[in-house]
Amino acid sequence: MEGLISLLINLVLPILLIVAALITGTIIEKRHYQSIDKREALLGNIVLLNGKEYPKDTPVANVQFVSGSVVISYDYFKRFLAGLRQIFGGEIKSYVSLLDRGRREAILRMKGKCPDADIIINLRLDTSSISKGRRKRGLGTVEVFAYGTALKFAGSPE
Amino acid sequence: MKIINKPLTKTADISSARGTAMKELRQLVLFTIVLLTVLYFSVGLLVDFIVSGISFESEASLFKNFKISKALPKDPGENKKLEKAKVILRILTSGDSVPPLPYNLILIKKKEPNAFAFPGGKIGLTTGLLDLLNDETEIAFVLGHELGHFSNRDHLKGLGRGVGFGLAVAVVFKPEYGAKSFGNMVNFVLQRTYSQDSEKKADHFGLELVYSKYGSIRGTDHLFKILQQNDKLPGWAYMFSTHPSPQKRILELQKFGKKIEKERTHKTTASPIKSTSSVSSIALHPLNGCKAKFVVTIRIHRCYQYNLDYDIDNPVIFRC
Amino acid sequence: MILTNIESVPGKKIVEHYGLVSGSTVRAKHVGRDIMASLKNIVGGELKGYTELLEDAREQARERMTKQAEELGANAVINIRFNTSSIAQGASELYIYGTAVRVE
C-alpha cells in the first residue's frame, strides 16, 4: 500500500498533470492563434509605425491615444518544458509562443480601440514580469503592453 | 511620406514556435533521460568505488552512534520473539560467511511487515513483521536476507546513491526551474530497479546462509506466501516497487533453493554431529536422481532455549 | 539591410514605409554556464558566458526581424528598439522592433 501511494505521488500524479496541461494548453493555444489570425486580417488596414513621423501633407481628421494590454501566465506544461530546456540551454520555444501570442493580442486590443484609424505612430511595446519573486520559483506572470497614437486621415474611406 | 500597407504572410510567425510543443517535449525528454542515466551510472560507480574502500571495521566505528528514530526501547509483548530472533542472529553471524559487524536487533513500531539493514550492523524489524514470523527458519531467512545486504554493502551503497544522486538532481534540476518533478520521477524509477536487483541478491545470500546453518530451506518462503495472500497490489505496480513481488520472490527462492541443495549435497562429505543436546526434528527426503541415497537433515529446533554452545558451523548433513 | 535607431537613414531618402517588423526569442542559460557563473559571482566581474548568451539571442532576434522586413520588400529598418525582459527565473526575452522602410 505504501509503495502504491509513493508511486502515485512520485510518478502518476506529475505525469497526469503534465498530460492534462499539455492537452488543454495545446487546444487553447491553437484556438488563440486561430482567433489572432482572424482578427489580424480584420484589422490589417491599420499600419503600425514606431517612429514619430507621419504624412504631414495629408489632413488629419482624428487623433487618439490608444493602448492595449494582456497579462499572460505559463501553464504547468510550458513550465515543465522550460525547466528541461534550462538544463541544456537554447531557445525556450514554449515561452516564445506564449509571448508571441501575448504581444499580438496586446496589439490587436490596441487596434481594436481605433478600428477605423489609418496609422498608429510612435508605437511602444513593453514587457514586464509582474509577479516575479512572489515564490522562489520566480515563474512569472508577464504583462505585455502596447501603446501609440492613432491617426485617422481626412478623406479616407469610412 | 508614402505608407504602403502590406500584410506579413510567410514570416508572421517569425519565431516559428507555433505548435512545436510536442517536438520540444520529445527532444527534451530524450535528452533528459540520457543525461540522468549517465549521471545515475557515474554516481553509482563513484559510490561503489568509495564503499569498496570502507572496511567493515571503519563502517562499525563510523556508524557507532547511528540512531534510529522509530526504534522501540523495549516492548514486553514482543520481547519473547525478539529474544528468539536475537539468538537466531547470533547463530547466523557465528561463521566467516557474514561480515564482522557488531550486529544488533532493533524493534520498530510499524504495522507494515518490513526489515531494514542500517549502517553499522543494526537490523531493524517492524512489529508487524515479528507478528507474522513464527518458525525459526522464517526468522532466520529474514535476518539472513538483511545480513546479505550487509555483505553486499547495499545499505551503504543505497545511502550513497540516495545522497549522491539526490545532490546531482538538485544541481541539474534547480527547484526554480519547475521541472524538478521530472528528475524525481526518473530518480524514482532508477532507484527502484537497482533496489530490486540487490533485494534478489540478498534473498540468495539469506537462503544460502540459512541452508548452511540449518541444513534446510523449508519455510523460508512462508513469509512471502502470507504477503502474497495479503497482497492487494496489481502485478505491474511492482515494476516501481523497491522489492520484487512476493510471487516472484517465492519462485526465485524455490529455483535458487534447488540449486543450493544440489550443489551442497554433492560437495558435503559426512561430518559428525558435534551437538549433543536435544535434536527436535529429523527430516528425511530423497535426493534428486540418487536412488539409494538419503539426505538426513537434522534441524536443531528450539535452540534459543539453550546456551549457544552448539557448533553449527558445519552443516549437519551426512549421507547414509 | 540598413538598420538605424533614429527616424531616418542619414544620407538616404526614405521612399516607402511598410510598417512594424519585429523579432523575439526567449533564451535559457544551461546548467553548466549557471555553475560557472555562480563561481564567478564570488569574485565579481563580467560573466562572459551570460554576455555571450544575450549577444547570441539578440542576434537571433535581429535576424528574425530582418527576415520580416525582407518579406515586405524593405531594404532598411529604422527606429529600432530593443527590449530585454527577464520573464522567469533564468529565462530572458529579447524583443526587437522597428519600422520597415525602403530607401533610395
PDB file of all heavy atoms in Angstrom, chain A residues 109-120:
ATOM      1  N   ARG A 109      -5.698  44.336 -29.356  1.00  0.00           N
ATOM      2  CA  ARG A 109      -6.588  45.068 -28.443  1.00  0.00           C
ATOM      3  C   ARG A 109      -6.425  46.578 -28.623  1.00  0.00           C
ATOM      4  O   ARG A 109      -7.397  47.330 -28.557  1.00  0.00           O
ATOM      5  CB  ARG A 109      -6.286  44.683 -26.993  1.00  0.00           C
ATOM      6  CG  ARG A 109      -6.841  43.322 -26.667  1.00  0.00           C
ATOM      7  CD  ARG A 109      -6.641  42.941 -25.237  1.00  0.00           C
ATOM      8  NE  ARG A 109      -7.033  41.542 -25.066  1.00  0.00           N
ATOM      9  CZ  ARG A 109      -6.917  40.865 -23.931  1.00  0.00           C
ATOM     10  NH1 ARG A 109      -6.410  41.458 -22.869  1.00  0.00           N
ATOM     11  NH2 ARG A 109      -7.303  39.621 -23.869  1.00  0.00           N
ATOM     12  N   MET A 110      -5.152  46.959 -28.830  1.00  0.00           N
ATOM     13  CA  MET A 110      -4.902  48.381 -29.084  1.00  0.00           C
ATOM     14  C   MET A 110      -5.583  48.815 -30.382  1.00  0.00           C
ATOM     15  O   MET A 110      -6.274  49.834 -30.424  1.00  0.00           O
ATOM     16  CB  MET A 110      -3.397  48.614 -29.155  1.00  0.00           C
ATOM     17  CG  MET A 110      -2.977  50.034 -29.477  1.00  0.00           C
ATOM     18  SD  MET A 110      -1.200  50.155 -29.705  1.00  0.00           S
ATOM     19  CE  MET A 110      -1.011  49.285 -31.253  1.00  0.00           C
ATOM     20  N   LYS A 111      -5.402  48.020 -31.410  1.00  0.00           N
ATOM     21  CA  LYS A 111      -6.028  48.337 -32.704  1.00  0.00           C
ATOM     22  C   LYS A 111      -7.544  48.339 -32.588  1.00  0.00           C
ATOM     23  O   LYS A 111      -8.228  49.136 -33.242  1.00  0.00           O
ATOM     24  CB  LYS A 111      -5.616  47.295 -33.754  1.00  0.00           C
ATOM     25  CG  LYS A 111      -4.247  47.518 -34.369  1.00  0.00           C
ATOM     26  CD  LYS A 111      -3.988  46.414 -35.403  1.00  0.00           C
ATOM     27  CE  LYS A 111      -2.771  46.703 -36.254  1.00  0.00           C
ATOM     28  NZ  LYS A 111      -2.534  45.577 -37.194  1.00  0.00           N
ATOM     29  N   GLY A 112      -8.049  47.446 -31.743  1.00  0.00           N
ATOM     30  CA  GLY A 112      -9.490  47.331 -31.569  1.00  0.00           C
ATOM     31  C   GLY A 112     -10.131  48.599 -31.026  1.00  0.00           C
ATOM     32  O   GLY A 112     -11.339  48.824 -31.172  1.00  0.00           O
ATOM     33  N   LYS A 113      -9.305  49.461 -30.395  1.00  0.00           N
ATOM     34  CA  LYS A 113      -9.849  50.698 -29.843  1.00  0.00           C
ATOM     35  C   LYS A 113      -9.975  51.799 -30.896  1.00  0.00           C
ATOM     36  O   LYS A 113     -10.590  52.832 -30.653  1.00  0.00           O
ATOM     37  CB  LYS A 113      -8.970  51.184 -28.685  1.00  0.00           C
ATOM     38  CG  LYS A 113      -9.160  50.289 -27.461  1.00  0.00           C
ATOM     39  CD  LYS A 113      -8.283  50.721 -26.328  1.00  0.00           C
ATOM     40  CE  LYS A 113      -8.419  49.709 -25.191  1.00  0.00           C
ATOM     41  NZ  LYS A 113      -7.300  49.783 -24.263  1.00  0.00           N
ATOM     42  N   CYS A 114      -9.354  51.576 -32.042  1.00  0.00           N
ATOM     43  CA  CYS A 114      -9.463  52.568 -33.108  1.00  0.00           C
ATOM     44  C   CYS A 114      -9.614  51.845 -34.451  1.00  0.00           C
ATOM     45  O   CYS A 114      -8.744  51.954 -35.309  1.00  0.00           O
ATOM     46  CB  CYS A 114      -8.242  53.482 -33.130  1.00  0.00           C
ATOM     47  SG  CYS A 114      -6.689  52.572 -33.228  1.00  0.00           S
ATOM     48  N   PRO A 115     -10.690  51.086 -34.611  1.00  0.00           N
ATOM     49  CA  PRO A 115     -10.781  50.217 -35.792  1.00  0.00           C
ATOM     50  C   PRO A 115     -10.768  50.959 -37.125  1.00  0.00           C
ATOM     51  O   PRO A 115     -10.402  50.395 -38.146  1.00  0.00           O
ATOM     52  CB  PRO A 115     -12.100  49.471 -35.586  1.00  0.00           C
ATOM     53  CG  PRO A 115     -12.840  50.199 -34.533  1.00  0.00           C
ATOM     54  CD  PRO A 115     -11.855  50.972 -33.727  1.00  0.00           C
ATOM     55  N   ASP A 116     -11.149  52.244 -37.109  1.00  0.00           N
ATOM     56  CA  ASP A 116     -11.162  52.935 -38.405  1.00  0.00           C
ATOM     57  C   ASP A 116      -9.980  53.888 -38.577  1.00  0.00           C
ATOM     58  O   ASP A 116      -9.973  54.728 -39.475  1.00  0.00           O
ATOM     59  CB  ASP A 116     -12.503  53.650 -38.642  1.00  0.00           C
ATOM     60  CG  ASP A 116     -12.924  54.469 -37.438  1.00  0.00           C
ATOM     61  OD1 ASP A 116     -12.216  54.375 -36.410  1.00  0.00           O
ATOM     62  OD2 ASP A 116     -13.935  55.187 -37.520  1.00  0.00           O
ATOM     63  N   ALA A 117      -8.960  53.766 -37.738  1.00  0.00           N
ATOM     64  CA  ALA A 117      -7.761  54.592 -37.907  1.00  0.00           C
ATOM     65  C   ALA A 117      -6.976  54.124 -39.128  1.00  0.00           C
ATOM     66  O   ALA A 117      -7.161  52.998 -39.603  1.00  0.00           O
ATOM     67  CB  ALA A 117      -6.896  54.522 -36.669  1.00  0.00           C
ATOM     68  N   ASP A 118      -6.083  54.991 -39.616  1.00  0.00           N
ATOM     69  CA  ASP A 118      -5.258  54.598 -40.753  1.00  0.00           C
ATOM     70  C   ASP A 118      -3.870  54.146 -40.318  1.00  0.00           C
ATOM     71  O   ASP A 118      -3.355  53.156 -40.815  1.00  0.00           O
ATOM     72  CB  ASP A 118      -5.134  55.763 -41.734  1.00  0.00           C
ATOM     73  CG  ASP A 118      -6.464  56.051 -42.401  1.00  0.00           C
ATOM     74  OD1 ASP A 118      -6.981  55.125 -43.033  1.00  0.00           O
ATOM     75  OD2 ASP A 118      -6.989  57.168 -42.227  1.00  0.00           O
ATOM     76  N   ILE A 119      -3.292  54.935 -39.410  1.00  0.00           N
ATOM     77  CA  ILE A 119      -1.982  54.516 -38.899  1.00  0.00           C
ATOM     78  C   ILE A 119      -1.918  54.741 -37.389  1.00  0.00           C
ATOM     79  O   ILE A 119      -2.662  55.527 -36.811  1.00  0.00           O
ATOM     80  CB  ILE A 119      -0.800  55.268 -39.570  1.00  0.00           C
ATOM     81  CG1 ILE A 119      -0.923  56.801 -39.366  1.00  0.00           C
ATOM     82  CG2 ILE A 119      -0.699  54.942 -41.049  1.00  0.00           C
ATOM     83  CD1 ILE A 119       0.320  57.541 -39.795  1.00  0.00           C
ATOM     84  N   ILE A 120      -1.031  53.994 -36.775  1.00  0.00           N
ATOM     85  CA  ILE A 120      -0.693  54.251 -35.369  1.00  0.00           C
ATOM     86  C   ILE A 120       0.784  54.595 -35.363  1.00  0.00           C
ATOM     87  O   ILE A 120       1.615  53.830 -35.887  1.00  0.00           O
ATOM     88  CB  ILE A 120      -0.980  53.031 -34.475  1.00  0.00           C
ATOM     89  CG1 ILE A 120      -2.486  52.780 -34.392  1.00  0.00           C
ATOM     90  CG2 ILE A 120      -0.400  53.243 -33.073  1.00  0.00           C
ATOM     91  CD1 ILE A 120      -2.870  51.532 -33.628  1.00  0.00           C
TER      92      ILE A 120
END
